[in-house]
Amino acid sequence: MEILIPNVAALPAAATEFVKHIGSHTIFAFYGKMGAGKTTFIKAICRELGVEDVITSPTFSIVNEYTSSLTGEPIYHFDFYRIKRLEEVYDMGYEEYFYSGYLCLIEWPELIEDLLPEDAVRVEIVECDDGSRIVKDVF
């Protein structure tokens, strides 16, 4: 799968396309440089999934929990950017989230790579020279 996001106005359509491909997967690890648009794209995905809460980056809290108004199920949004040691991730009880069966959207997964479930879908967001973004799964 590869989705081109030419500009911010195209985010809702890109999120719709992404959600169509979720299938039975529950863990999505988003890779990309700082400023590539990981948080912005995850916000658009959450909106597409019916999240009505204010969606913010969980940089300081590590995880934010939202509820889909479409399914009533939780959606977990992680940001591991500030993790210094894997023990911090163990202490937060990551397994309860990752193996809950609910959707987990993870920013900065490279910092916890060894803890990602084998079936995690790896998604790369690349910023192009013209400011557009390409979202592609890299399995």
Side-chain angles (χ1 to χ4, degrees):
M1 171 190 59
E2 192 168 290
I3 301 169
L4 174 65
I5 307 173
N7 52 49
V8 175
L11 271 169
T16 299
E17 185 66 22
F18 186 87
V19 168
K20 285 181 188 176
H21 289 90
I22 285 178
S24 62
H25 298 284
T26 58
I27 310 292
F28 291 86
F30 290 85
Y31 295 82
K33 294 180 180 180
M34 181 75 73
K38 296 179 294 293
T39 301
T40 302
F41 190 56
I42 288 173
K43 285 180 182 183
I45 292 168
C46 288
R47 288 279 173 244
E48 178 64 23
L49 292 170
V51 173
E52 296 173 356
D53 302 323
V54 174
I55 303 164
T56 60
S57 176
T59 301
F60 294 100
S61 62
I62 302 176
V63 62
N64 287 345
E65 180 179 340
Y66 310 115
T67 302
S68 168
S69 65
L70 303 176
T71 64
E73 295 181 345
I75 297 170
Y76 301 114
H77 177 193
F78 297 86
D79 185 335
F80 290 113
Y81 181 74
R82 296 196 177 279
I83 292 296
K84 302 283 187 251
R85 302 177 343 267
L86 280 180
E87 287 77 21
E88 294 174 67
V89 183
Y90 289 116
D91 290 346
M92 68 168 283
Y94 81 95
E95 291 168 318
E96 291 179 39
Y97 297 103
F98 287 8
Y99 298 100
S100 67
Y102 296 118
L103 190 62
C104 295
L105 306 171
I106 304 166
E107 296 184 57
W108 298 102
E110 50 270 67
L111 300 176
I112 61 145
E113 194 73 41
D114 292 342
L115 303 180
L116 288 175
E118 287 183 22
D119 62 346
V121 177
R122 284 146 173 87
V123 179
E124 184 179 17
I125 299 179
V126 178
E127 182 178 10
C128 302
D129 291 339
D130 64 0
S132 65
R133 306 297 198 266
I134 297 174
V135 177
K136 56 186 173 179
D137 58 23
V138 289
F139 284 90

